[in-house]
Amino acid sequence: MPGAIMRSPQQMTDDGDVLDAVVIGAGWAGLGVSYWLARRGLRHSVLERGRIGETWRTQRWDSFRMNTPNVQTVMPGDCYDGPDPDGALTRDQFVALLEDFAGRNALPIEPDTAVSGLAHENGAYRITTSHGTLWARNVIVASGSLNCPVRPVWAAVLSPALRQIDASGYRSAADLPDGAVLVIGSGQSGAQIAEELAEAGRTVFLATSRVGRLPRRYRGRDIMVWLLESGFLDGRREEVIRLAGRIPPRGVLGSVHTISLQALSAQGVVLLGRLTGIEDGGSLSFADDLEANVRFADEASDNIKRHVDDYISRAGIDAPVAEPDPAETVAMRQQNPTIGSLDLSRSGIMSVVWCTGFKGDFSWMRLPDALDSAGQPVHADGVAALPGLYFAGLDFASTRKSGIILAIAEEAPRLVEHIAGHS
């Protein structure tokens, strides 16, 4: 039939047209859910707008590495047995890992199949795609909540001569025009991109923000190993919100070493306060909060290390003593006087890299009460209020671990058990 998606017998249900489940997105979350659906014998299809791991292929820079160590960068049912447990996979190595996982487990992937609509009719879900329509009893949305970049609205009034890209559009220093670069936002992406640009010999200005920091290694282990083992990553979403008043950005964690604001300044990066707006003459203005931002990151790192120390003491672990981290002991270079206003032209800035956060694009979902006023999923531990609707891989969905690859080994089977119990 013209416009229909071709499906194997494994994907078809006994009544011909309605699948047990459809998974939207073939990243680590969607593949993890598919793995458990297959183990439960539930007939399903995984719809992917591009290729397996499309966001990882197209929204990560060339030198990108995972922030989880190799020992934790594993899919459900797998374990790491390689020679470098503390290493970090490159972007391309991670995509290869996902492709290998899908192939080994014969997961029913439908590539190049974009979803444009989702509706609930007569007790089932109608999924409109670029290749036709599917029906399913359950839908698991695993398209990600951090793939749509966010910029302040007034970014549009900057000079058209300025090259503006988001962190997801950055590939390498060589792809930017000659001249200085302004990186806005000192979270995970902003700090790593600023460091790479400085190492490439570019003049870099970094507008900082209130973001914590984690040491890469501490007391003989990768910090992520300590945080997982100690239970820190199991902290509930509700507790994180209670402590911070909101879901905070994740602390800066360099993929192979600690990255601190003071270390960036020692590399020549010019640190600024938080970007606050555009002045009448076209210059950018910055808050006088640089020292507070540096102090916040330092305190966050100290708190994490105290947590690990306490765990080591309680568990009676024979761990080496803490050693000074060069990124945390280097003195910060400060501008004198402090820069509160910046004329981009006079400063030689030809490019701006916006590292001001991401959100998910769920505008294609035509379902009542599925999204909040900001267009983001309404759910409890990945389970929506509408029967048969689920979300996988959302950042901080249940715990601090949610949104990190190592979470899917727990979250995917829980969602699939819920599906099996209500199908």
Side-chain angles (χ1 to χ4, degrees), residues 64-110:
F64 177 90
R65 287 182 177 270
M66 299 295 288
N67 287 320
T68 48
N70 289 338
V71 71
Q72 294 180 342
T73 308
V74 293
M75 293 295 288
D78 292 347
C79 63
Y80 180 79
D81 60 359
D84 188 16
D86 290 333
L89 293 183
T90 66
R91 174 195 63 191
D92 295 341
Q93 288 172 331
F94 182 61
V95 170
L97 178 150
L98 296 180
E99 290 181 320
D100 175 70
F101 178 79
R104 280 189 290 110
N105 292 286
L107 301 181
I109 314 298
E110 299 282 356

mmCIF file of all heavy atoms in Angstrom, residues 64-110:
data_model
loop_
_atom_site.group_PDB
_atom_site.id
_atom_site.type_symbol
_atom_site.label_atom_id
_atom_site.label_comp_id
_atom_site.label_asym_id
_atom_site.label_seq_id
_atom_site.Cartn_x
_atom_site.Cartn_y
_atom_site.Cartn_z
ATOM 1 N N PHE A 64 34.569 15.897 20.428
ATOM 2 C CA PHE A 64 33.720 15.577 21.575
ATOM 3 C C PHE A 64 34.031 14.188 22.127
ATOM 4 O O PHE A 64 34.250 13.226 21.392
ATOM 5 C CB PHE A 64 32.250 15.633 21.146
ATOM 6 C CG PHE A 64 31.268 15.260 22.231
ATOM 7 C CD1 PHE A 64 30.756 16.223 23.073
ATOM 8 C CD2 PHE A 64 30.859 13.943 22.403
ATOM 9 C CE1 PHE A 64 29.853 15.894 24.070
ATOM 10 C CE2 PHE A 64 29.961 13.590 23.389
ATOM 11 C CZ PHE A 64 29.456 14.577 24.231
ATOM 12 N N ARG A 65 34.046 14.102 23.444
ATOM 13 C CA ARG A 65 34.173 12.821 24.141
ATOM 14 C C ARG A 65 33.084 12.714 25.197
ATOM 15 O O ARG A 65 32.600 13.720 25.711
ATOM 16 C CB ARG A 65 35.551 12.672 24.805
ATOM 17 C CG ARG A 65 36.675 12.415 23.814
ATOM 18 C CD ARG A 65 37.998 12.217 24.530
ATOM 19 N NE ARG A 65 39.064 11.892 23.595
ATOM 20 C CZ ARG A 65 39.390 10.660 23.230
ATOM 21 N NH1 ARG A 65 38.743 9.628 23.740
ATOM 22 N NH2 ARG A 65 40.376 10.443 22.369
ATOM 23 N N MET A 66 32.711 11.493 25.515
ATOM 24 C CA MET A 66 31.712 11.250 26.534
ATOM 25 C C MET A 66 32.223 11.711 27.902
ATOM 26 O O MET A 66 33.431 11.668 28.173
ATOM 27 C CB MET A 66 31.366 9.770 26.600
ATOM 28 C CG MET A 66 30.792 9.208 25.312
ATOM 29 S SD MET A 66 29.203 9.920 24.875
ATOM 30 C CE MET A 66 28.147 9.157 26.131
ATOM 31 N N ASN A 67 31.314 12.108 28.765
ATOM 32 C CA ASN A 67 31.710 12.528 30.113
ATOM 33 C C ASN A 67 31.612 11.396 31.124
ATOM 34 O O ASN A 67 32.022 11.557 32.271
ATOM 35 C CB ASN A 67 30.854 13.716 30.564
ATOM 36 C CG ASN A 67 31.231 14.984 29.841
ATOM 37 O OD1 ASN A 67 32.401 15.249 29.612
ATOM 38 N ND2 ASN A 67 30.239 15.760 29.446
ATOM 39 N N THR A 68 31.036 10.277 30.717
ATOM 40 C CA THR A 68 31.084 9.086 31.560
ATOM 41 C C THR A 68 32.287 8.264 31.138
ATOM 42 O O THR A 68 32.610 8.191 29.946
ATOM 43 C CB THR A 68 29.808 8.232 31.400
ATOM 44 O OG1 THR A 68 29.535 8.060 29.995
ATOM 45 C CG2 THR A 68 28.623 8.885 32.069
ATOM 46 N N PRO A 69 32.979 7.621 32.086
ATOM 47 C CA PRO A 69 34.114 6.777 31.712
ATOM 48 C C PRO A 69 33.624 5.540 30.956
ATOM 49 O O PRO A 69 32.447 5.168 31.031
ATOM 50 C CB PRO A 69 34.739 6.412 33.060
ATOM 51 C CG PRO A 69 33.606 6.505 34.040
ATOM 52 C CD PRO A 69 32.744 7.627 33.548
ATOM 53 N N ASN A 70 34.532 4.908 30.244
ATOM 54 C CA ASN A 70 34.165 3.745 29.429
ATOM 55 C C ASN A 70 33.446 2.667 30.228
ATOM 56 O O ASN A 70 32.534 2.014 29.719
ATOM 57 C CB ASN A 70 35.423 3.144 28.791
ATOM 58 C CG ASN A 70 35.996 4.030 27.702
ATOM 59 O OD1 ASN A 70 35.297 4.866 27.133
ATOM 60 N ND2 ASN A 70 37.274 3.858 27.417
ATOM 61 N N VAL A 71 33.855 2.483 31.477
ATOM 62 C CA VAL A 71 33.254 1.433 32.291
ATOM 63 C C VAL A 71 31.767 1.681 32.536
ATOM 64 O O VAL A 71 31.007 0.747 32.811
ATOM 65 C CB VAL A 71 34.018 1.276 33.627
ATOM 66 C CG1 VAL A 71 33.763 2.482 34.541
ATOM 67 C CG2 VAL A 71 33.662 -0.020 34.325
ATOM 68 N N GLN A 72 31.334 2.944 32.413
ATOM 69 C CA GLN A 72 29.928 3.290 32.604
ATOM 70 C C GLN A 72 29.192 3.556 31.294
ATOM 71 O O GLN A 72 27.966 3.672 31.292
ATOM 72 C CB GLN A 72 29.803 4.526 33.498
ATOM 73 C CG GLN A 72 30.261 4.308 34.930
ATOM 74 C CD GLN A 72 30.121 5.559 35.781
ATOM 75 O OE1 GLN A 72 29.995 6.668 35.255
ATOM 76 N NE2 GLN A 72 30.159 5.394 37.084
ATOM 77 N N THR A 73 29.922 3.651 30.203
ATOM 78 C CA THR A 73 29.293 3.932 28.912
ATOM 79 C C THR A 73 28.936 2.606 28.253
ATOM 80 O O THR A 73 29.568 2.157 27.295
ATOM 81 C CB THR A 73 30.230 4.767 28.025
ATOM 82 O OG1 THR A 73 30.686 5.915 28.750
ATOM 83 C CG2 THR A 73 29.509 5.258 26.769
ATOM 84 N N VAL A 74 27.920 1.966 28.797
ATOM 85 C CA VAL A 74 27.503 0.648 28.331
ATOM 86 C C VAL A 74 25.982 0.623 28.198
ATOM 87 O O VAL A 74 25.273 1.360 28.875
ATOM 88 C CB VAL A 74 27.964 -0.479 29.278
ATOM 89 C CG1 VAL A 74 29.477 -0.600 29.267
ATOM 90 C CG2 VAL A 74 27.462 -0.236 30.696
ATOM 91 N N MET A 75 25.515 -0.247 27.333
ATOM 92 C CA MET A 75 24.086 -0.406 27.107
ATOM 93 C C MET A 75 23.551 -1.577 27.918
ATOM 94 O O MET A 75 24.321 -2.406 28.419
ATOM 95 C CB MET A 75 23.838 -0.618 25.612
ATOM 96 C CG MET A 75 24.157 0.607 24.757
ATOM 97 S SD MET A 75 23.074 2.021 25.100
ATOM 98 C CE MET A 75 21.530 1.446 24.366
ATOM 99 N N PRO A 76 22.219 -1.672 28.072
ATOM 100 C CA PRO A 76 21.634 -2.755 28.868
ATOM 101 C C PRO A 76 22.121 -4.137 28.424
ATOM 102 O O PRO A 76 22.203 -4.432 27.231
ATOM 103 C CB PRO A 76 20.134 -2.590 28.616
ATOM 104 C CG PRO A 76 19.970 -1.126 28.352
ATOM 105 C CD PRO A 76 21.189 -0.730 27.588
ATOM 106 N N GLY A 77 22.443 -4.972 29.401
ATOM 107 C CA GLY A 77 22.910 -6.319 29.113
ATOM 108 C C GLY A 77 24.378 -6.413 28.797
ATOM 109 O O GLY A 77 24.935 -7.512 28.711
ATOM 110 N N ASP A 78 25.053 -5.268 28.613
ATOM 111 C CA ASP A 78 26.474 -5.256 28.282
ATOM 112 C C ASP A 78 27.301 -4.859 29.489
ATOM 113 O O ASP A 78 26.790 -4.291 30.464
ATOM 114 C CB ASP A 78 26.754 -4.271 27.141
ATOM 115 C CG ASP A 78 26.165 -4.715 25.816
ATOM 116 O OD1 ASP A 78 25.756 -5.888 25.721
ATOM 117 O OD2 ASP A 78 26.113 -3.891 24.884
ATOM 118 N N CYS A 79 28.588 -5.124 29.422
ATOM 119 C CA CYS A 79 29.535 -4.633 30.425
ATOM 120 C C CYS A 79 30.850 -4.340 29.724
ATOM 121 O O CYS A 79 31.146 -4.905 28.661
ATOM 122 C CB CYS A 79 29.733 -5.648 31.555
ATOM 123 S SG CYS A 79 30.451 -7.202 31.019
ATOM 124 N N TYR A 80 31.612 -3.452 30.289
ATOM 125 C CA TYR A 80 32.877 -3.062 29.664
ATOM 126 C C TYR A 80 33.969 -4.035 30.073
ATOM 127 O O TYR A 80 34.165 -4.310 31.261
ATOM 128 C CB TYR A 80 33.258 -1.632 30.087
ATOM 129 C CG TYR A 80 34.557 -1.171 29.459
ATOM 130 C CD1 TYR A 80 34.570 -0.727 28.136
ATOM 131 C CD2 TYR A 80 35.752 -1.211 30.157
ATOM 132 C CE1 TYR A 80 35.754 -0.318 27.533
ATOM 133 C CE2 TYR A 80 36.934 -0.800 29.563
ATOM 134 C CZ TYR A 80 36.932 -0.357 28.253
ATOM 135 O OH TYR A 80 38.104 0.043 27.658
ATOM 136 N N ASP A 81 34.691 -4.557 29.090
ATOM 137 C CA ASP A 81 35.801 -5.458 29.386
ATOM 138 C C ASP A 81 37.055 -5.077 28.603
ATOM 139 O O ASP A 81 37.921 -5.913 28.332
ATOM 140 C CB ASP A 81 35.412 -6.913 29.089
ATOM 141 C CG ASP A 81 35.023 -7.125 27.624
ATOM 142 O OD1 ASP A 81 35.047 -6.140 26.850
ATOM 143 O OD2 ASP A 81 34.714 -8.274 27.249
ATOM 144 N N GLY A 82 37.158 -3.795 28.230
ATOM 145 C CA GLY A 82 38.297 -3.322 27.458
ATOM 146 C C GLY A 82 39.472 -2.925 28.327
ATOM 147 O O GLY A 82 39.431 -3.027 29.560
ATOM 148 N N PRO A 83 40.525 -2.418 27.701
ATOM 149 C CA PRO A 83 41.771 -2.098 28.420
ATOM 150 C C PRO A 83 41.806 -0.727 29.078
ATOM 151 O O PRO A 83 42.752 -0.412 29.792
ATOM 152 C CB PRO A 83 42.820 -2.189 27.309
ATOM 153 C CG PRO A 83 42.073 -1.737 26.076
ATOM 154 C CD PRO A 83 40.672 -2.255 26.242
ATOM 155 N N ASP A 84 40.792 0.103 28.844
ATOM 156 C CA ASP A 84 40.847 1.491 29.327
ATOM 157 C C ASP A 84 39.533 1.873 30.006
ATOM 158 O O ASP A 84 38.770 2.688 29.488
ATOM 159 C CB ASP A 84 41.136 2.431 28.143
ATOM 160 C CG ASP A 84 41.405 3.859 28.582
ATOM 161 O OD1 ASP A 84 41.678 4.072 29.787
ATOM 162 O OD2 ASP A 84 41.342 4.771 27.721
ATOM 163 N N PRO A 85 39.247 1.317 31.186
ATOM 164 C CA PRO A 85 37.957 1.598 31.844
ATOM 165 C C PRO A 85 37.748 3.064 32.195
ATOM 166 O O PRO A 85 36.612 3.525 32.261
ATOM 167 C CB PRO A 85 38.005 0.722 33.101
ATOM 168 C CG PRO A 85 39.459 0.465 33.333
ATOM 169 C CD PRO A 85 40.087 0.408 31.977
ATOM 170 N N ASP A 86 38.832 3.805 32.420
ATOM 171 C CA ASP A 86 38.707 5.214 32.784
ATOM 172 C C ASP A 86 38.749 6.143 31.584
ATOM 173 O O ASP A 86 38.666 7.366 31.740
ATOM 174 C CB ASP A 86 39.818 5.606 33.760
ATOM 175 C CG ASP A 86 39.637 4.972 35.126
ATOM 176 O OD1 ASP A 86 38.483 4.679 35.482
ATOM 177 O OD2 ASP A 86 40.644 4.760 35.826
ATOM 178 N N GLY A 87 38.893 5.590 30.383
ATOM 179 C CA GLY A 87 38.934 6.423 29.187
ATOM 180 C C GLY A 87 37.565 6.967 28.833
ATOM 181 O O GLY A 87 36.562 6.692 29.502
ATOM 182 N N ALA A 88 37.508 7.736 27.763
ATOM 183 C CA ALA A 88 36.248 8.356 27.334
ATOM 184 C C ALA A 88 36.083 8.169 25.836
ATOM 185 O O ALA A 88 36.972 8.518 25.056
ATOM 186 C CB ALA A 88 36.245 9.849 27.677
ATOM 187 N N LEU A 89 34.957 7.597 25.432
ATOM 188 C CA LEU A 89 34.697 7.370 24.013
ATOM 189 C C LEU A 89 34.564 8.684 23.259
ATOM 190 O O LEU A 89 34.005 9.663 23.765
ATOM 191 C CB LEU A 89 33.408 6.569 23.831
ATOM 192 C CG LEU A 89 33.381 5.118 24.307
ATOM 193 C CD1 LEU A 89 32.034 4.497 23.954
ATOM 194 C CD2 LEU A 89 34.523 4.313 23.710
ATOM 195 N N THR A 90 35.058 8.693 22.035
ATOM 196 C CA THR A 90 34.828 9.831 21.158
ATOM 197 C C THR A 90 33.390 9.793 20.646
ATOM 198 O O THR A 90 32.681 8.803 20.812
ATOM 199 C CB THR A 90 35.781 9.799 19.950
ATOM 200 O OG1 THR A 90 35.465 8.656 19.138
ATOM 201 C CG2 THR A 90 37.238 9.717 20.399
ATOM 202 N N ARG A 91 32.996 10.862 19.994
ATOM 203 C CA ARG A 91 31.662 10.925 19.391
ATOM 204 C C ARG A 91 31.433 9.751 18.451
ATOM 205 O O ARG A 91 30.416 9.049 18.534
ATOM 206 C CB ARG A 91 31.530 12.241 18.620
ATOM 207 C CG ARG A 91 30.260 12.403 17.808
ATOM 208 C CD ARG A 91 30.401 13.552 16.814
ATOM 209 N NE ARG A 91 31.458 13.295 15.835
ATOM 210 C CZ ARG A 91 31.922 14.214 14.999
ATOM 211 N NH1 ARG A 91 31.465 15.446 15.044
ATOM 212 N NH2 ARG A 91 32.872 13.911 14.121
ATOM 213 N N ASP A 92 32.385 9.515 17.549
ATOM 214 C CA ASP A 92 32.207 8.465 16.549
ATOM 215 C C ASP A 92 32.257 7.075 17.178
ATOM 216 O O ASP A 92 31.548 6.158 16.724
ATOM 217 C CB ASP A 92 33.269 8.598 15.464
ATOM 218 C CG ASP A 92 33.127 9.897 14.665
ATOM 219 O OD1 ASP A 92 32.032 10.500 14.708
ATOM 220 O OD2 ASP A 92 34.106 10.306 14.023
ATOM 221 N N GLN A 93 33.070 6.895 18.195
ATOM 222 C CA GLN A 93 33.112 5.606 18.881
ATOM 223 C C GLN A 93 31.794 5.315 19.581
ATOM 224 O O GLN A 93 31.336 4.168 19.606
ATOM 225 C CB GLN A 93 34.262 5.583 19.892
ATOM 226 C CG GLN A 93 35.642 5.504 19.267
ATOM 227 C CD GLN A 93 36.761 5.674 20.290
ATOM 228 O OE1 GLN A 93 36.584 6.353 21.320
ATOM 229 N NE2 GLN A 93 37.903 5.087 20.021
ATOM 230 N N PHE A 94 31.171 6.350 20.138
ATOM 231 C CA PHE A 94 29.894 6.143 20.815
ATOM 232 C C PHE A 94 28.802 5.789 19.811
ATOM 233 O O PHE A 94 27.978 4.896 20.069
ATOM 234 C CB PHE A 94 29.503 7.381 21.618
ATOM 235 C CG PHE A 94 28.224 7.214 22.380
ATOM 236 C CD1 PHE A 94 28.109 6.241 23.358
ATOM 237 C CD2 PHE A 94 27.121 8.010 22.112
ATOM 238 C CE1 PHE A 94 26.922 6.062 24.060
ATOM 239 C CE2 PHE A 94 25.935 7.846 22.806
ATOM 240 C CZ PHE A 94 25.844 6.865 23.784
ATOM 241 N N VAL A 95 28.777 6.458 18.666
ATOM 242 C CA VAL A 95 27.800 6.118 17.631
ATOM 243 C C VAL A 95 27.996 4.669 17.183
ATOM 244 O O VAL A 95 27.031 3.922 17.007
ATOM 245 C CB VAL A 95 27.924 7.078 16.436
ATOM 246 C CG1 VAL A 95 27.091 6.578 15.255
ATOM 247 C CG2 VAL A 95 27.462 8.485 16.824
ATOM 248 N N ALA A 96 29.265 4.260 17.039
ATOM 249 C CA ALA A 96 29.552 2.875 16.654
ATOM 250 C C ALA A 96 29.054 1.898 17.717
ATOM 251 O O ALA A 96 28.563 0.804 17.393
ATOM 252 C CB ALA A 96 31.050 2.692 16.416
ATOM 253 N N LEU A 97 29.168 2.280 18.990
ATOM 254 C CA LEU A 97 28.669 1.438 20.078
ATOM 255 C C LEU A 97 27.156 1.247 19.950
ATOM 256 O O LEU A 97 26.642 0.137 20.103
ATOM 257 C CB LEU A 97 29.026 2.071 21.416
ATOM 258 C CG LEU A 97 28.569 1.385 22.710
ATOM 259 C CD1 LEU A 97 29.568 1.669 23.833
ATOM 260 C CD2 LEU A 97 27.185 1.853 23.159
ATOM 261 N N LEU A 98 26.443 2.329 19.648
ATOM 262 C CA LEU A 98 24.988 2.235 19.500
ATOM 263 C C LEU A 98 24.608 1.364 18.302
ATOM 264 O O LEU A 98 23.692 0.534 18.380
ATOM 265 C CB LEU A 98 24.385 3.631 19.340
ATOM 266 C CG LEU A 98 24.535 4.597 20.522
ATOM 267 C CD1 LEU A 98 23.885 5.935 20.183
ATOM 268 C CD2 LEU A 98 23.941 4.026 21.794
ATOM 269 N N GLU A 99 25.308 1.560 17.192
ATOM 270 C CA GLU A 99 25.016 0.764 15.999
ATOM 271 C C GLU A 99 25.280 -0.719 16.260
ATOM 272 O O GLU A 99 24.487 -1.589 15.845
ATOM 273 C CB GLU A 99 25.862 1.251 14.831
ATOM 274 C CG GLU A 99 25.463 2.612 14.299
ATOM 275 C CD GLU A 99 26.307 3.041 13.125
ATOM 276 O OE1 GLU A 99 27.531 2.802 13.138
ATOM 277 O OE2 GLU A 99 25.742 3.619 12.172
ATOM 278 N N ASP A 100 26.366 -1.015 16.934
ATOM 279 C CA ASP A 100 26.705 -2.399 17.248
ATOM 280 C C ASP A 100 25.647 -3.024 18.151
ATOM 281 O O ASP A 100 25.225 -4.170 17.941
ATOM 282 C CB ASP A 100 28.081 -2.458 17.914
ATOM 283 C CG ASP A 100 28.441 -3.863 18.374
ATOM 284 O OD1 ASP A 100 28.694 -4.719 17.507
ATOM 285 O OD2 ASP A 100 28.456 -4.102 19.592
ATOM 286 N N PHE A 101 25.188 -2.270 19.145
ATOM 287 C CA PHE A 101 24.181 -2.766 20.066
ATOM 288 C C PHE A 101 22.883 -3.084 19.326
ATOM 289 O O PHE A 101 22.278 -4.151 19.532
ATOM 290 C CB PHE A 101 23.921 -1.723 21.157
ATOM 291 C CG PHE A 101 22.859 -2.102 22.148
ATOM 292 C CD1 PHE A 101 23.148 -2.974 23.179
ATOM 293 C CD2 PHE A 101 21.575 -1.586 22.046
ATOM 294 C CE1 PHE A 101 22.162 -3.335 24.106
ATOM 295 C CE2 PHE A 101 20.590 -1.934 22.960
ATOM 296 C CZ PHE A 101 20.893 -2.812 23.982
ATOM 297 N N ALA A 102 22.455 -2.185 18.450
ATOM 298 C CA ALA A 102 21.227 -2.407 17.693
ATOM 299 C C ALA A 102 21.356 -3.614 16.778
ATOM 300 O O ALA A 102 20.424 -4.423 16.656
ATOM 301 C CB ALA A 102 20.878 -1.161 16.871
ATOM 302 N N GLY A 103 22.508 -3.774 16.150
ATOM 303 C CA GLY A 103 22.712 -4.891 15.245
ATOM 304 C C GLY A 103 22.777 -6.227 15.959
ATOM 305 O O GLY A 103 22.148 -7.206 15.540
ATOM 306 N N ARG A 104 23.545 -6.281 17.049
ATOM 307 C CA ARG A 104 23.694 -7.538 17.799
ATOM 308 C C ARG A 104 22.364 -8.036 18.340
ATOM 309 O O ARG A 104 22.138 -9.240 18.457
ATOM 310 C CB ARG A 104 24.674 -7.333 18.966
ATOM 311 C CG ARG A 104 26.129 -7.379 18.590
ATOM 312 C CD ARG A 104 27.012 -7.386 19.825
ATOM 313 N NE ARG A 104 26.998 -6.121 20.541
ATOM 314 C CZ ARG A 104 26.435 -5.932 21.735
ATOM 315 N NH1 ARG A 104 25.802 -6.931 22.345
ATOM 316 N NH2 ARG A 104 26.500 -4.751 22.335
ATOM 317 N N ASN A 105 21.491 -7.082 18.697
ATOM 318 C CA ASN A 105 20.217 -7.458 19.298
ATOM 319 C C ASN A 105 19.063 -7.448 18.303
ATOM 320 O O ASN A 105 17.906 -7.635 18.693
ATOM 321 C CB ASN A 105 19.911 -6.529 20.475
ATOM 322 C CG ASN A 105 20.871 -6.738 21.633
ATOM 323 O OD1 ASN A 105 20.781 -7.718 22.352
ATOM 324 N ND2 ASN A 105 21.807 -5.802 21.815
ATOM 325 N N ALA A 106 19.405 -7.259 17.025
ATOM 326 C CA ALA A 106 18.402 -7.284 15.954
ATOM 327 C C ALA A 106 17.190 -6.404 16.286
ATOM 328 O O ALA A 106 16.036 -6.822 16.137
ATOM 329 C CB ALA A 106 17.962 -8.729 15.680
ATOM 330 N N LEU A 107 17.465 -5.195 16.729
ATOM 331 C CA LEU A 107 16.379 -4.296 17.107
ATOM 332 C C LEU A 107 15.682 -3.763 15.856
ATOM 333 O O LEU A 107 16.331 -3.459 14.844
ATOM 334 C CB LEU A 107 16.922 -3.144 17.960
ATOM 335 C CG LEU A 107 17.627 -3.574 19.250
ATOM 336 C CD1 LEU A 107 18.098 -2.357 20.025
ATOM 337 C CD2 LEU A 107 16.715 -4.445 20.118
ATOM 338 N N PRO A 108 14.356 -3.618 15.905
ATOM 339 C CA PRO A 108 13.574 -3.228 14.718
ATOM 340 C C PRO A 108 13.596 -1.726 14.467
ATOM 341 O O PRO A 108 12.634 -1.005 14.758
ATOM 342 C CB PRO A 108 12.172 -3.714 15.061
ATOM 343 C CG PRO A 108 12.105 -3.606 16.564
ATOM 344 C CD PRO A 108 13.477 -3.950 17.055
ATOM 345 N N ILE A 109 14.689 -1.242 13.901
ATOM 346 C CA ILE A 109 14.877 0.189 13.671
ATOM 347 C C ILE A 109 14.310 0.584 12.310
ATOM 348 O O ILE A 109 14.534 -0.099 11.311
ATOM 349 C CB ILE A 109 16.375 0.566 13.716
ATOM 350 C CG1 ILE A 109 17.065 -0.069 14.925
ATOM 351 C CG2 ILE A 109 16.535 2.079 13.704
ATOM 352 C CD1 ILE A 109 16.528 0.363 16.252
ATOM 353 N N GLU A 110 13.585 1.693 12.269
ATOM 354 C CA GLU A 110 13.100 2.272 11.016
ATOM 355 C C GLU A 110 13.814 3.611 10.826
ATOM 356 O O GLU A 110 13.362 4.656 11.305
ATOM 357 C CB GLU A 110 11.583 2.493 11.081
ATOM 358 C CG GLU A 110 10.756 1.248 11.288
ATOM 359 C CD GLU A 110 10.585 0.429 10.020
ATOM 360 O OE1 GLU A 110 11.061 0.886 8.955
ATOM 361 O OE2 GLU A 110 9.984 -0.645 10.098
#
